[in-house]
Amino acid sequence: MKSILGKNLGNYRTSYRADMALLNSRNKKIGMVILLLVIFLLPMFASNYFIGLMTLCIISSIGAIGLNILTGFTGQISIGVGAFLGVGGYASAILTTSMGYSFWIALPLAGIITAIIGGLFGIPSLRLKGLYLAIATLAAQFVILFIIRRWVSLTNGTSGMVLQRPTIGDFALSSNTSYYYLSAIAFLLSAFYAINLVRSRTGRAFFAVRDRDMAAQIMGINLFKYKVMAFAISSFFIGIAGSLLAHYTMIVSPEFYEINVSIQYLAMILIGGLGSVFGSILGAFFITLLPVVLNIIVGSLSGILTDLSHILSAFEEFVFGAVIILFLIFEPGGLAHMWSNTVNYFKKWPFSY
Amino acid sequence: MVKILQIEGISLQFGGVKALNDVSFHIEEGEIFSLIGPNGAGKTSMLNCISGLYHPSQGSIKYKDEEITKMKAYSRTNLGIARAFQNIALFEHMSVLDNLMLGRHTLMKSGPFSGGFYFGKAEKEEVDNREHVEQVIEFLDLQEIRHTPVERLAYGQQKRVEVGRALALSPELILLDEPMAGMNKVEKERMAQLILKMKDNGITVVLIEHDLGVVMRLSDHIAVLDFGKQIGFGTPNEVQENPEVIKAYIGENVS
Ligand SMILES: Nc1ncnc2c1ncn2[C@@H]1O[C@H](COP(=O)(O)OP(=O)(O)OP(=O)(O)O)[C@@H](O)[C@H]1O
Ligand SMILES: [Mg+2]
């Protein structure tokens, strides 16, 4: 290795390390501690129903982080998330229910199997870009669901399969709270991994492939390798989310993995913020909770306006669509961008204008 | 002298346009080699053939006696060939630092596992390479802007980052496509000094530049292209006395 100036900059080493640390400011450290406390103490204060909702939110977050690695980091749109969740769910169901493996083996295997299948469906990315690639992933969505429906001996076809909650020794994670903790740990690991990935050699290569593939090649980046790798890593997380979800609801069935699920996940990362791990999480919470909140609104309104109840039932889908469009127009940076704007505002306060 | 790059009979066509027509020259290890010629002569196309972005219809390119004509672009980078583009091709949304760190991609190893957990080796590798990148930052005077996203920089600064990114690779051969374009006299002189320093450090430089004064002063050898044809090749003195070159540059002051 040729050094340009032949200078020894060794004494700066500690400062680079500090500069590059994940939690490189006091505020970030405090924020992290508060976040961890909230996550782990939440079950003491919240209702069983609420803990169930939070479990769905954090499982969706894992999936959304996965999709964002592919679409937000590497710039490859996928409309196949629904089916890949299905691959994770069915892999877990087959491994545990049909083959008798423990959940603790099935969960990582579900991730790995989904990663392999995702990687295979990522091979067309060598030749296809943008909308064309999106159509190829749409094909994955249909092919995978078709196989799930038709391979009855393996998947039980349209009747679906039943799963069990995992156990630790004699203790079954059958309560909402215990499953919440399991999901929370998986969630924290996923978020930690993804945040680190972004600032690592691989993450930088993903961004380079997304922003300028010609210059990326000149940096020595093998486009094909990194595109397929993005598909595989992304699918791993989606597979983990699929497995966690399946053991939570304790049932898998083809209709849970239709294209509308793919669209929901795309909405999560669009609304949350493309290319942002934090945004994936915000978006997952937003999209998971939106129908719940709308349901409450519709429920209270239709008590008053009984004649309008049939119109109000369409209200949810309308709002869902409208929210996505409004975000695309007014805040393309998503919730993550709104958040950082707000934080910056208060940092400068009272001198902000 | 050892030949680091040998170009033999390269032709490149775009539809009816012959961007390069049977071009042959060679570059010696450790020299500053300039490629000159009027606009549209095929200079950038030649660099694209060397980088592997364009594939010539005829001819061969040898790097250190290894045939690389058909080699993929990213593999050539692994051999130590770096490139700064004429039309800046930085990653705009990323900071100067991240752009330079991308320049070190081939010299780093951490993959999606170690990178994702960022412990031990992966962290050490980041720190080591950051140290090297900081040398490039100092070399090109980019200290003030290291954390700034490239899209917010002025043109001249971007041009320097573009050169820096190529330099971060610790290349053996660096291809500089008009690194001084759009710069004022002072900035140009600074870049000229940097190029001489690269040579002092043993890097072979291929330079494309329209300012013939600079070219004549810096270069050890020059190839002259015109409409895709090579009309001259030799030392600055030989090239200046070449009647074909004088004809192509008529009206311009070659000395
Ligand atoms: N990708 C391409 N597609 C079609 N034509 C091209 C392409 N790249 C270059 N050309 C043509 O090849 C010829 C040489 O172009 P090139 O960019 O190599 O010139 P140059 O010597 O670098 O010029 P300049 O000094 O203006 O940068 C031009 O006629 C150009 O239009
Ligand atoms: Mg050019």
Side-chain angles (χ1 to χ4, degrees):
Chain A
M1 198 190 295
K2 277 173 194 151
S3 136
I4 302 162
L5 300 174
K7 270 199 184 173
N8 182 7
L9 299 174
N11 43 339
Y12 290 108
R13 166 177 286 267
T14 43
S15 62
Y16 299 147
R17 198 178 289 265
D19 187 29
M20 287 150 60
L22 195 52
L23 304 171
N24 55 8
S25 75
R26 194 153 162 264
N27 283 352
K28 281 186 191 164
K29 281 176 194 151
I30 294 172
M32 193 66 210
V33 171
I34 293 175
L35 183 71
L36 287 177
L37 281 179
V38 169
I39 290 175
F40 283 99
L41 297 182
L42 188 70
M44 296 184 185
F45 307 104
S47 72
N48 200 35
Y49 170 71
F50 189 75
I51 290 300
L53 267 184
M54 286 301 109
T55 306
L56 288 176
C57 286
I58 57 185
I59 295 175
S60 306
S61 299
I62 298 173
I65 288 171
L67 179 60
N68 223 336
I69 289 174
L70 182 64
T71 303
F73 294 7
T74 324
Q76 312 189 86
I77 304 173
S78 164
I79 321 184
V81 184
F84 289 118
L85 277 172
V87 172
Y90 270 94
S92 224
I94 293 163
L95 285 165
T96 55
T97 306
S98 316
M99 300 171 73
Y101 285 104
S102 139
F103 163 84
W104 306 106
I105 293 171
L107 177 71
L109 274 181
I112 292 167
I113 291 168
T114 315
I116 292 169
I117 296 180
L120 286 177
F121 277 102
I123 289 175
S125 65
L126 177 62
R127 300 254 174 245
L128 302 178
K129 273 189 198 174
L131 224 44
Y132 297 98
L133 181 61
I135 298 297
T137 62
L138 186 63
Q141 168 77 33
F142 288 120
V143 168
I144 290 170
L145 272 199
F146 180 83
I147 293 172
I148 289 177
R149 283 208 177 84
R150 292 303 171 90
W151 197 347
V152 179
S153 60
L154 188 71
T155 64
N156 217 12
T158 46
S159 349
M161 295 176 75
V162 175
L163 297 89
Q164 303 297 319
R165 286 282 173 90
T167 55
I168 303 173
D170 287 337
F171 177 70
L173 303 181
S174 45
S175 71
N176 267 6
T177 304
S178 55
Y179 206 82
Y180 164 81
Y181 279 123
L182 168 68
S183 312
I185 291 167
F187 161 72
L188 287 172
L189 282 175
S190 308
F192 175 77
Y193 174 86
I195 290 168
N196 275 324
L197 188 71
V198 175
R199 63 207 193 97
S200 77
R201 172 174 178 265
T202 309
R204 282 192 297 266
F206 283 164
F207 285 130
V209 169
R210 177 194 67 187
D211 289 348
R212 241 178 224 280
D213 52 5
M214 190 260 295
Q217 273 174 285
I218 294 297
M219 298 298 107
I221 293 166
N222 178 345
L223 296 181
F224 182 56
K225 176 176 152 191
Y226 277 88
K227 283 179 173 181
V228 171
M229 196 199 288
F231 265 95
I233 295 174
S234 157
S235 304
F236 178 83
F237 286 106
I238 293 164
I240 293 286
S243 169
L244 284 172
L245 199 61
H247 287 275
Y248 179 65
T249 57
M250 295 194 281
I251 184 165
V252 288
S253 172
E255 74 256 30
F256 299 157
Y257 305 114
E258 298 282 2
I259 185 163
N260 61 319
V261 178
S262 304
I263 307 284
Q264 271 184 1
Y265 273 83
L266 275 176
M268 287 175 196
I269 60 167
L270 279 174
I271 289 175
L274 281 177
S276 157
V277 177
F278 184 50
S280 320
I281 299 165
L282 291 178
F285 273 71
F286 187 92
I287 294 295
T288 311
L289 295 178
L290 184 66
V292 180
V293 172
L294 291 176
N295 231 319
I296 295 169
I297 296 171
V298 170
S300 56
L301 279 182
S302 51
I304 313 161
L305 312 163
T306 36
D307 304 348
L308 295 177
S309 62
H310 60 285
I311 296 179
L312 286 172
S313 62
F315 174 68
E316 248 178 63
E317 305 202 347
F318 170 75
V319 171
F320 183 77
V323 165
I324 295 177
I325 291 168
L326 289 175
F327 261 98
L328 288 180
I329 296 173
F330 294 109
E331 186 51 283
L335 289 167
H337 191 236
M338 284 171 81
W339 171 268
S340 66
N341 278 351
T342 315
V343 169
N344 285 338
Y345 178 87
F346 282 106
K347 264 190 195 159
K348 289 178 195 154
W349 194 84
F351 305 106
S352 43
Y353 43 86
Chain B
M1 268 296 192
V2 183
K3 290 173 189 164
I4 191 167
L5 197 74
Q6 286 166 277
I7 307 290
E8 275 160 34
I10 290 292
S11 294
L12 176 74
Q13 249 172 320
F14 295 105
V17 183
K18 276 208 160 169
L20 295 170
N21 192 353
D22 195 19
V23 176
S24 304
F25 57 82
H26 59 85
I27 298 174
E28 287 170 8
E29 200 166 274
E31 72 168 340
I32 296 177
F33 180 93
S34 291
L35 207 50
I36 62 170
N39 291 110
K43 305 179 294 294
T44 299
S45 300
M46 190 66 237
L47 287 200
N48 281 339
C49 289
I50 299 172
S51 305
L53 294 175
Y54 289 171
H55 293 281
S57 52
Q58 267 170 40
S60 97
I61 302 174
K62 279 193 194 125
Y63 177 73
K64 294 183 170 177
D65 291 328
E66 184 183 353
E67 178 72 49
I68 61 164
T69 320
K70 295 234 157 61
M71 191 182 270
K72 292 238 163 52
Y74 68 82
S75 310
R76 300 186 197 201
T77 309
N78 278 311
L79 295 180
I81 303 178
R83 165 94 182 260
F85 289 91
Q86 177 178 4
N87 310 315
I88 295 164
L90 294 168
F91 306 105
E92 297 96 324
H93 306 309
M94 290 187 227
S95 67
V96 170
L97 203 51
D98 280 339
N99 270 276
L100 298 181
M101 286 297 279
L102 265 161
R104 294 199 66 76
H105 182 85
T106 52
L107 300 159
M108 298 173 71
K109 286 203 179 64
S110 88
F113 294 106
S114 52
F117 294 101
Y118 212 84
F119 290 142
K121 263 194 185 158
E123 193 193 15
K124 183 175 179 315
E125 189 183 60
E126 285 284 319
V127 174
D128 288 349
N129 283 279
R130 170 77 186 269
E131 268 173 27
H132 187 94
V133 159
E134 288 291 336
Q135 291 185 28
V136 174
I137 285 176
E138 193 174 321
F139 193 65
L140 286 164
D141 207 10
L142 302 168
Q143 293 92 333
E144 305 291 309
I145 51 170
R146 60 158 82 72
H147 289 295
T148 312
V150 164
E151 59 197 344
R152 284 208 236 123
L153 300 178
Y155 180 81
Q157 291 175 315
Q158 293 194 0
K159 213 68 200 176
R160 269 188 288 148
V161 178
E162 178 77 44
V163 172
R165 189 177 62 176
L167 212 47
L169 201 115
S170 299
E172 299 191 19
L173 176 67
I174 192 168
L175 312 172
L176 303 174
D177 198 343
E178 302 197 17
M180 306 175 194
M183 288 188 173
N184 63 32
K185 246 191 149 148
V186 178
E187 291 171 317
K188 252 189 195 177
E189 185 49 39
R190 219 182 121 59
M191 185 58 75
Q193 291 306 322
L194 290 177
I195 290 171
L196 286 170
K197 246 189 212 170
M198 292 179 203
K199 180 184 166 179
D200 286 345
N201 284 290
I203 303 172
T204 309
V205 181
V206 178
L207 174 69
I208 297 181
E209 175 51 45
H210 282 287
D211 183 333
L212 294 179
V214 172
V215 169
M216 295 304 163
R217 186 154 62 86
L218 295 184
S219 312
D220 296 301
H221 288 98
I222 299 172
V224 191
L225 297 179
D226 192 20
F227 291 110
K229 274 206 181 118
Q230 182 178 309
I231 55 170
F233 171 47
T235 62
N237 280 334
E238 288 166 358
V239 164
Q240 281 176 73
E241 281 156 19
N242 181 326
E244 271 200 81
V245 175
I246 295 169
K247 215 170 85 189
Y249 274 96
I250 223 146
E252 285 197 51
N253 186 2
V254 185
S255 56

PDB file of all heavy atoms in Angstrom, chain A residues 88-114:
ATOM      1  N   GLY A  88     -41.016 -17.295   4.539  1.00  0.00           N
ATOM      2  CA  GLY A  88     -40.539 -17.391   5.918  1.00  0.00           C
ATOM      3  C   GLY A  88     -41.549 -18.111   6.805  1.00  0.00           C
ATOM      4  O   GLY A  88     -41.190 -19.012   7.575  1.00  0.00           O
ATOM      5  N   GLY A  89     -42.812 -17.728   6.682  1.00  0.00           N
ATOM      6  CA  GLY A  89     -43.868 -18.327   7.500  1.00  0.00           C
ATOM      7  C   GLY A  89     -44.029 -19.810   7.214  1.00  0.00           C
ATOM      8  O   GLY A  89     -44.072 -20.643   8.127  1.00  0.00           O
ATOM      9  N   TYR A  90     -44.084 -20.156   5.939  1.00  0.00           N
ATOM     10  CA  TYR A  90     -44.266 -21.559   5.564  1.00  0.00           C
ATOM     11  C   TYR A  90     -43.038 -22.394   5.893  1.00  0.00           C
ATOM     12  O   TYR A  90     -43.152 -23.547   6.318  1.00  0.00           O
ATOM     13  CB  TYR A  90     -44.625 -21.691   4.086  1.00  0.00           C
ATOM     14  CG  TYR A  90     -46.122 -21.651   3.864  1.00  0.00           C
ATOM     15  CD1 TYR A  90     -46.761 -20.466   3.569  1.00  0.00           C
ATOM     16  CD2 TYR A  90     -46.896 -22.808   3.995  1.00  0.00           C
ATOM     17  CE1 TYR A  90     -48.133 -20.416   3.395  1.00  0.00           C
ATOM     18  CE2 TYR A  90     -48.269 -22.773   3.822  1.00  0.00           C
ATOM     19  CZ  TYR A  90     -48.885 -21.574   3.524  1.00  0.00           C
ATOM     20  OH  TYR A  90     -50.248 -21.543   3.360  1.00  0.00           O
ATOM     21  N   ALA A  91     -41.841 -21.811   5.697  1.00  0.00           N
ATOM     22  CA  ALA A  91     -40.621 -22.554   6.052  1.00  0.00           C
ATOM     23  C   ALA A  91     -40.676 -22.924   7.525  1.00  0.00           C
ATOM     24  O   ALA A  91     -40.412 -24.074   7.912  1.00  0.00           O
ATOM     25  CB  ALA A  91     -39.387 -21.702   5.753  1.00  0.00           C
ATOM     26  N   SER A  92     -41.060 -21.961   8.341  1.00  0.00           N
ATOM     27  CA  SER A  92     -41.146 -22.196   9.779  1.00  0.00           C
ATOM     28  C   SER A  92     -42.230 -23.228  10.103  1.00  0.00           C
ATOM     29  O   SER A  92     -42.024 -24.109  10.946  1.00  0.00           O
ATOM     30  CB  SER A  92     -41.477 -20.873  10.469  1.00  0.00           C
ATOM     31  OG  SER A  92     -40.692 -20.705  11.604  1.00  0.00           O
ATOM     32  N   ALA A  93     -43.373 -23.118   9.432  1.00  0.00           N
ATOM     33  CA  ALA A  93     -44.480 -24.042   9.688  1.00  0.00           C
ATOM     34  C   ALA A  93     -44.080 -25.470   9.316  1.00  0.00           C
ATOM     35  O   ALA A  93     -44.319 -26.428  10.063  1.00  0.00           O
ATOM     36  CB  ALA A  93     -45.712 -23.611   8.893  1.00  0.00           C
ATOM     37  N   ILE A  94     -43.438 -25.618   8.153  1.00  0.00           N
ATOM     38  CA  ILE A  94     -43.056 -26.953   7.694  1.00  0.00           C
ATOM     39  C   ILE A  94     -41.974 -27.535   8.602  1.00  0.00           C
ATOM     40  O   ILE A  94     -42.039 -28.698   9.000  1.00  0.00           O
ATOM     41  CB  ILE A  94     -42.583 -26.889   6.217  1.00  0.00           C
ATOM     42  CG1 ILE A  94     -43.775 -26.516   5.322  1.00  0.00           C
ATOM     43  CG2 ILE A  94     -41.972 -28.211   5.779  1.00  0.00           C
ATOM     44  CD1 ILE A  94     -43.388 -26.021   3.952  1.00  0.00           C
ATOM     45  N   LEU A  95     -41.000 -26.691   8.956  1.00  0.00           N
ATOM     46  CA  LEU A  95     -39.900 -27.173   9.802  1.00  0.00           C
ATOM     47  C   LEU A  95     -40.386 -27.581  11.189  1.00  0.00           C
ATOM     48  O   LEU A  95     -39.936 -28.585  11.741  1.00  0.00           O
ATOM     49  CB  LEU A  95     -38.821 -26.100   9.928  1.00  0.00           C
ATOM     50  CG  LEU A  95     -37.929 -25.914   8.703  1.00  0.00           C
ATOM     51  CD1 LEU A  95     -37.146 -24.613   8.792  1.00  0.00           C
ATOM     52  CD2 LEU A  95     -36.970 -27.090   8.563  1.00  0.00           C
ATOM     53  N   THR A  96     -41.306 -26.823  11.771  1.00  0.00           N
ATOM     54  CA  THR A  96     -41.750 -27.147  13.129  1.00  0.00           C
ATOM     55  C   THR A  96     -42.909 -28.146  13.103  1.00  0.00           C
ATOM     56  O   THR A  96     -42.793 -29.255  13.624  1.00  0.00           O
ATOM     57  CB  THR A  96     -42.184 -25.880  13.895  1.00  0.00           C
ATOM     58  OG1 THR A  96     -43.187 -25.193  13.143  1.00  0.00           O
ATOM     59  CG2 THR A  96     -41.006 -24.957  14.115  1.00  0.00           C
ATOM     60  N   THR A  97     -43.995 -27.779  12.452  1.00  0.00           N
ATOM     61  CA  THR A  97     -45.189 -28.612  12.520  1.00  0.00           C
ATOM     62  C   THR A  97     -45.013 -29.954  11.790  1.00  0.00           C
ATOM     63  O   THR A  97     -45.306 -31.013  12.345  1.00  0.00           O
ATOM     64  CB  THR A  97     -46.407 -27.855  11.938  1.00  0.00           C
ATOM     65  OG1 THR A  97     -46.513 -26.608  12.617  1.00  0.00           O
ATOM     66  CG2 THR A  97     -47.691 -28.643  12.124  1.00  0.00           C
ATOM     67  N   SER A  98     -44.524 -29.912  10.532  1.00  0.00           N
ATOM     68  CA  SER A  98     -44.411 -31.167   9.777  1.00  0.00           C
ATOM     69  C   SER A  98     -43.172 -31.961  10.152  1.00  0.00           C
ATOM     70  O   SER A  98     -43.198 -33.185  10.198  1.00  0.00           O
ATOM     71  CB  SER A  98     -44.350 -30.899   8.271  1.00  0.00           C
ATOM     72  OG  SER A  98     -45.293 -29.942   7.904  1.00  0.00           O
ATOM     73  N   MET A  99     -42.048 -31.260  10.383  1.00  0.00           N
ATOM     74  CA  MET A  99     -40.788 -31.981  10.562  1.00  0.00           C
ATOM     75  C   MET A  99     -40.332 -32.068  12.011  1.00  0.00           C
ATOM     76  O   MET A  99     -39.350 -32.755  12.321  1.00  0.00           O
ATOM     77  CB  MET A  99     -39.694 -31.336   9.699  1.00  0.00           C
ATOM     78  CG  MET A  99     -40.053 -31.367   8.211  1.00  0.00           C
ATOM     79  SD  MET A  99     -38.938 -30.394   7.184  1.00  0.00           S
ATOM     80  CE  MET A  99     -37.504 -31.436   7.212  1.00  0.00           C
ATOM     81  N   GLY A 100     -41.014 -31.366  12.879  1.00  0.00           N
ATOM     82  CA  GLY A 100     -40.748 -31.516  14.297  1.00  0.00           C
ATOM     83  C   GLY A 100     -39.528 -30.794  14.843  1.00  0.00           C
ATOM     84  O   GLY A 100     -39.088 -31.043  15.963  1.00  0.00           O
ATOM     85  N   TYR A 101     -38.946 -29.884  14.052  1.00  0.00           N
ATOM     86  CA  TYR A 101     -37.802 -29.129  14.575  1.00  0.00           C
ATOM     87  C   TYR A 101     -38.271 -28.090  15.585  1.00  0.00           C
ATOM     88  O   TYR A 101     -39.423 -27.661  15.577  1.00  0.00           O
ATOM     89  CB  TYR A 101     -37.061 -28.408  13.444  1.00  0.00           C
ATOM     90  CG  TYR A 101     -36.227 -29.329  12.592  1.00  0.00           C
ATOM     91  CD1 TYR A 101     -36.659 -29.708  11.330  1.00  0.00           C
ATOM     92  CD2 TYR A 101     -35.008 -29.808  13.058  1.00  0.00           C
ATOM     93  CE1 TYR A 101     -35.909 -30.553  10.543  1.00  0.00           C
ATOM     94  CE2 TYR A 101     -34.240 -30.659  12.273  1.00  0.00           C
ATOM     95  CZ  TYR A 101     -34.697 -31.019  11.025  1.00  0.00           C
ATOM     96  OH  TYR A 101     -33.940 -31.856  10.256  1.00  0.00           O
ATOM     97  N   SER A 102     -37.320 -27.680  16.421  1.00  0.00           N
ATOM     98  CA  SER A 102     -37.631 -26.632  17.393  1.00  0.00           C
ATOM     99  C   SER A 102     -37.736 -25.284  16.684  1.00  0.00           C
ATOM    100  O   SER A 102     -37.081 -25.051  15.662  1.00  0.00           O
ATOM    101  CB  SER A 102     -36.534 -26.596  18.452  1.00  0.00           C
ATOM    102  OG  SER A 102     -36.201 -25.275  18.793  1.00  0.00           O
ATOM    103  N   PHE A 103     -38.533 -24.405  17.268  1.00  0.00           N
ATOM    104  CA  PHE A 103     -38.672 -23.047  16.737  1.00  0.00           C
ATOM    105  C   PHE A 103     -37.308 -22.365  16.625  1.00  0.00           C
ATOM    106  O   PHE A 103     -37.045 -21.620  15.688  1.00  0.00           O
ATOM    107  CB  PHE A 103     -39.582 -22.231  17.659  1.00  0.00           C
ATOM    108  CG  PHE A 103     -39.492 -20.745  17.455  1.00  0.00           C
ATOM    109  CD1 PHE A 103     -40.235 -20.124  16.459  1.00  0.00           C
ATOM    110  CD2 PHE A 103     -38.652 -19.961  18.250  1.00  0.00           C
ATOM    111  CE1 PHE A 103     -40.142 -18.755  16.268  1.00  0.00           C
ATOM    112  CE2 PHE A 103     -38.550 -18.595  18.061  1.00  0.00           C
ATOM    113  CZ  PHE A 103     -39.302 -17.994  17.068  1.00  0.00           C
ATOM    114  N   TRP A 104     -36.445 -22.625  17.596  1.00  0.00           N
ATOM    115  CA  TRP A 104     -35.165 -21.911  17.659  1.00  0.00           C
ATOM    116  C   TRP A 104     -34.253 -22.300  16.505  1.00  0.00           C
ATOM    117  O   TRP A 104     -33.325 -21.573  16.163  1.00  0.00           O
ATOM    118  CB  TRP A 104     -34.485 -22.165  19.007  1.00  0.00           C
ATOM    119  CG  TRP A 104     -35.410 -21.814  20.130  1.00  0.00           C
ATOM    120  CD1 TRP A 104     -36.085 -22.676  20.950  1.00  0.00           C
ATOM    121  CD2 TRP A 104     -35.811 -20.499  20.516  1.00  0.00           C
ATOM    122  NE1 TRP A 104     -36.874 -21.985  21.833  1.00  0.00           N
ATOM    123  CE2 TRP A 104     -36.726 -20.637  21.586  1.00  0.00           C
ATOM    124  CE3 TRP A 104     -35.501 -19.208  20.063  1.00  0.00           C
ATOM    125  CZ2 TRP A 104     -37.334 -19.558  22.210  1.00  0.00           C
ATOM    126  CZ3 TRP A 104     -36.100 -18.131  20.687  1.00  0.00           C
ATOM    127  CH2 TRP A 104     -37.011 -18.311  21.746  1.00  0.00           C
ATOM    128  N   ILE A 105     -34.489 -23.465  15.931  1.00  0.00           N
ATOM    129  CA  ILE A 105     -33.754 -23.846  14.726  1.00  0.00           C
ATOM    130  C   ILE A 105     -34.509 -23.337  13.498  1.00  0.00           C
ATOM    131  O   ILE A 105     -33.916 -22.858  12.533  1.00  0.00           O
ATOM    132  CB  ILE A 105     -33.598 -25.378  14.662  1.00  0.00           C
ATOM    133  CG1 ILE A 105     -32.669 -25.823  15.800  1.00  0.00           C
ATOM    134  CG2 ILE A 105     -33.062 -25.820  13.306  1.00  0.00           C
ATOM    135  CD1 ILE A 105     -32.611 -27.323  15.972  1.00  0.00           C
ATOM    136  N   ALA A 106     -35.844 -23.407  13.584  1.00  0.00           N
ATOM    137  CA  ALA A 106     -36.665 -23.028  12.430  1.00  0.00           C
ATOM    138  C   ALA A 106     -36.555 -21.544  12.108  1.00  0.00           C
ATOM    139  O   ALA A 106     -36.537 -21.161  10.933  1.00  0.00           O
ATOM    140  CB  ALA A 106     -38.123 -23.402  12.683  1.00  0.00           C
ATOM    141  N   LEU A 107     -36.459 -20.711  13.154  1.00  0.00           N
ATOM    142  CA  LEU A 107     -36.427 -19.259  12.910  1.00  0.00           C
ATOM    143  C   LEU A 107     -35.224 -18.852  12.035  1.00  0.00           C
ATOM    144  O   LEU A 107     -35.434 -18.257  10.964  1.00  0.00           O
ATOM    145  CB  LEU A 107     -36.439 -18.494  14.238  1.00  0.00           C
ATOM    146  CG  LEU A 107     -36.332 -16.970  14.132  1.00  0.00           C
ATOM    147  CD1 LEU A 107     -37.617 -16.366  13.560  1.00  0.00           C
ATOM    148  CD2 LEU A 107     -36.035 -16.327  15.489  1.00  0.00           C
ATOM    149  N   PRO A 108     -33.996 -19.164  12.434  1.00  0.00           N
ATOM    150  CA  PRO A 108     -32.880 -18.785  11.550  1.00  0.00           C
ATOM    151  C   PRO A 108     -32.935 -19.493  10.199  1.00  0.00           C
ATOM    152  O   PRO A 108     -32.602 -18.890   9.167  1.00  0.00           O
ATOM    153  CB  PRO A 108     -31.626 -19.211  12.324  1.00  0.00           C
ATOM    154  CG  PRO A 108     -32.083 -20.103  13.421  1.00  0.00           C
ATOM    155  CD  PRO A 108     -33.512 -19.741  13.715  1.00  0.00           C
ATOM    156  N   LEU A 109     -33.388 -20.756  10.201  1.00  0.00           N
ATOM    157  CA  LEU A 109     -33.486 -21.461   8.911  1.00  0.00           C
ATOM    158  C   LEU A 109     -34.494 -20.782   7.991  1.00  0.00           C
ATOM    159  O   LEU A 109     -34.275 -20.685   6.778  1.00  0.00           O
ATOM    160  CB  LEU A 109     -33.872 -22.924   9.131  1.00  0.00           C
ATOM    161  CG  LEU A 109     -32.721 -23.889   9.399  1.00  0.00           C
ATOM    162  CD1 LEU A 109     -33.261 -25.310   9.561  1.00  0.00           C
ATOM    163  CD2 LEU A 109     -31.709 -23.844   8.252  1.00  0.00           C
ATOM    164  N   ALA A 110     -35.609 -20.320   8.579  1.00  0.00           N
ATOM    165  CA  ALA A 110     -36.613 -19.612   7.764  1.00  0.00           C
ATOM    166  C   ALA A 110     -35.973 -18.395   7.115  1.00  0.00           C
ATOM    167  O   ALA A 110     -36.210 -18.099   5.934  1.00  0.00           O
ATOM    168  CB  ALA A 110     -37.801 -19.202   8.627  1.00  0.00           C
ATOM    169  N   GLY A 111     -35.137 -17.678   7.902  1.00  0.00           N
ATOM    170  CA  GLY A 111     -34.423 -16.523   7.346  1.00  0.00           C
ATOM    171  C   GLY A 111     -33.509 -16.940   6.214  1.00  0.00           C
ATOM    172  O   GLY A 111     -33.488 -16.319   5.150  1.00  0.00           O
ATOM    173  N   ILE A 112     -32.754 -18.011   6.430  1.00  0.00           N
ATOM    174  CA  ILE A 112     -31.774 -18.440   5.428  1.00  0.00           C
ATOM    175  C   ILE A 112     -32.466 -18.938   4.155  1.00  0.00           C
ATOM    176  O   ILE A 112     -32.071 -18.596   3.035  1.00  0.00           O
ATOM    177  CB  ILE A 112     -30.848 -19.526   6.022  1.00  0.00           C
ATOM    178  CG1 ILE A 112     -29.958 -18.894   7.101  1.00  0.00           C
ATOM    179  CG2 ILE A 112     -29.994 -20.177   4.945  1.00  0.00           C
ATOM    180  CD1 ILE A 112     -29.226 -19.904   7.984  1.00  0.00           C
ATOM    181  N   ILE A 113     -33.537 -19.725   4.325  1.00  0.00           N
ATOM    182  CA  ILE A 113     -34.268 -20.235   3.148  1.00  0.00           C
ATOM    183  C   ILE A 113     -34.836 -19.068   2.341  1.00  0.00           C
ATOM    184  O   ILE A 113     -34.716 -19.024   1.111  1.00  0.00           O
ATOM    185  CB  ILE A 113     -35.395 -21.196   3.590  1.00  0.00           C
ATOM    186  CG1 ILE A 113     -34.765 -22.482   4.150  1.00  0.00           C
ATOM    187  CG2 ILE A 113     -36.355 -21.491   2.441  1.00  0.00           C
ATOM    188  CD1 ILE A 113     -35.750 -23.380   4.875  1.00  0.00           C
ATOM    189  N   THR A 114     -35.429 -18.104   3.043  1.00  0.00           N
ATOM    190  CA  THR A 114     -35.981 -16.938   2.339  1.00  0.00           C
ATOM    191  C   THR A 114     -34.863 -16.158   1.648  1.00  0.00           C
ATOM    192  O   THR A 114     -35.041 -15.657   0.531  1.00  0.00           O
ATOM    193  CB  THR A 114     -36.751 -16.030   3.309  1.00  0.00           C
ATOM    194  OG1 THR A 114     -37.572 -16.833   4.141  1.00  0.00           O
ATOM    195  CG2 THR A 114     -37.625 -15.034   2.554  1.00  0.00           C
TER     196      THR A 114
END
